[in-house]
Amino acid sequence: MSEETPLEPPSLQIFTSVRHDPILTTSPSNALNSHPPSPFYMLPHHRDRLLSAAQHFNWPPAITMLSSSSGLSLLTQTLHQTVRSAPAATKDPSNPDDNPGSGPGPLKIRFLVSRSGEITTEHAPTPAVPLAALFPSSLDGPAPTTTDDAAVQQPPWRMVLDTQPTLPSPYTLHKTTFRDPYTEARSRAGITSFASRVEVLLYSPAGEVTEGSLTSVYFFRRGRWVTPPVGSGGNRGTTRRWALEKGLCVEEVVRAEDVRDGEGVWVSNGVRGFIWGLVSLDGEGVGKRN
């Protein structure tokens, strides 16, 4: 692990990954001001994270493009254009009640911005999830087991601690195309697919948990849910911000040495919503795996 922050790559872009899902148009929680609910998950938070990154890297054209209400309108228009270019959803033959309609189903849309303010998008299908997993009313825990808790109906994800610390940098505080710290952590954990139900939890040289490789993370401590503060070195995630605003959690430093084998944790991101997982520690010491 390098102890120096890498120089800004010439081709660096900032980006955010947005969920498009027709089910979101039925949720008042996804409405923007007086407008009807949007099919794009927590869209204003995505615009804000892009603007924060552009300001950090001092990219004036990108800052101008993303600022004010016009920036949110441009983001919305571009995402709608991307959706129109996506193929229609296909019917699931194993589900007789499946009725995808004429438009695309759930999509992951990667919205990228260059230092000159140029926008590009990429899209791919993403699995359906219930609204309860996108907008949970609470993170009831520490071990949710009720059958009506849609977010924990699927088998829990396996959460592992990284075997090496990751140095905080602008590329861990903001979401950019420089993904080396996360790629390396996933490689050390043996995660080879983005479809894997395994997540690796990163921690800093100071021993503070920062985030997952693709997610924000929440631990149950002293009767409440906590998420590592941005001062620990992790990303300013959109769902993390929403959970803090709704009072579902508070910020608190989480020491890697205090993460317990078998404990239940939540992780979340702007595409998959909130996901229940169980920590799996192998061997002895922080993140050690044989």
Side-chain angles (χ1 to χ4, degrees):
M1 179 195 68
S2 171
E3 290 299 327
E4 297 181 357
T5 299
L7 297 175
E8 183 179 317
S11 60
L12 185 74
Q13 294 173 287
I14 57 177
F15 78 95
T16 192
S17 294
V18 184
R19 181 183 186 87
H20 166 269
D21 196 332
I23 196 176
L24 288 166
T25 61
T26 69
S27 173
S29 297
N30 209 49
L32 175 60
N33 297 327
S34 59
H35 297 283
S38 168
F40 303 109
Y41 185 40
M42 300 186 186
L43 188 56
H45 287 14
H46 287 280
R47 189 285 301 268
D48 291 350
R49 87 180 313 184
L50 287 168
L51 179 58
S52 176
Q55 291 169 336
H56 175 89
F57 290 109
N58 192 25
W59 293 356
I63 294 170
T64 300
M65 186 267 293
L66 291 165
S67 295
S68 72
S69 59
S70 62
L72 185 58
S73 296
L74 178 60
L75 181 58
T76 303
Q77 294 168 10
T78 304
L79 290 171
H80 276 298
Q81 291 171 359
T82 301
V83 171
R84 286 194 290 269
S85 72
T90 57
K91 181 178 176 65
D92 181 356
S94 66
N95 182 3
D97 297 323
D98 184 35
N99 182 20
S102 60
L107 295 174
K108 171 186 177 180
I109 303 177
R110 203 170 185 238
F111 189 101
L112 303 101
V113 180
S114 72
R115 72 187 67 226
S116 64
E118 180 181 359
I119 297 171
T120 54
T121 62
E122 304 164 356
H123 63 81
T126 194
V129 297
L131 278 174
L134 298 174
F135 294 104
S137 58
S138 72
L139 299 182
D140 288 341
T145 56
T146 57
T147 56
D148 61 347
D149 193 338
V152 295
Q153 288 299 297
Q154 297 296 323
W157 280 23
R158 180 171 175 260
M159 306 291 166
V160 300
L161 267 178
D162 199 357
T163 55
Q164 296 180 25
T166 294
L167 184 69
S169 75
Y171 309 109
T172 63
L173 295 175
H174 300 282
K175 200 163 188 178
T176 77
T177 49
F178 182 77
R179 300 291 294 170
D180 288 10
Y182 303 104
T183 301
E184 292 166 2
R186 290 174 68 83
S187 177
R188 288 190 291 268
I191 304 173
T192 59
S193 169
F194 287 109
S196 173
R197 298 182 67 85
V198 181
E199 173 65 300
V200 57
L201 305 179
L202 282 64
Y203 62 93
S204 71
E208 298 178 6
V209 176
T210 57
E211 59 186 331
S213 66
L214 301 175
T215 60
S216 299
V217 60
Y218 313 85
F219 297 87
F220 195 71
R221 295 290 184 270
R222 290 173 290 281
R224 60 184 181 171
W225 288 95
V226 305
T227 190
V230 293
S232 290
N235 213 272
R236 297 169 170 86
T238 54
T239 48
R240 175 188 179 279
R241 172 182 166 185
W242 179 86
L244 286 165
E245 290 174 346
K246 295 299 180 180
L248 303 187
C249 63
V250 296
E251 290 185 317
E252 183 176 298
V253 170
V254 177
R255 302 286 307 174
E257 62 195 25
D258 294 333
V259 177
R260 303 183 302 276
D261 187 44
E263 73 169 302
V265 301
W266 289 97
V267 292
S268 69
N269 66 29
V271 174
R272 302 192 187 196
F274 289 76
I275 302 159
W276 179 246
L278 296 175
V279 173
S280 176
L281 300 180
D282 301 323
E284 298 177 356
V286 173
K288 182 177 180 180
R289 291 185 291 277
N290 294 326

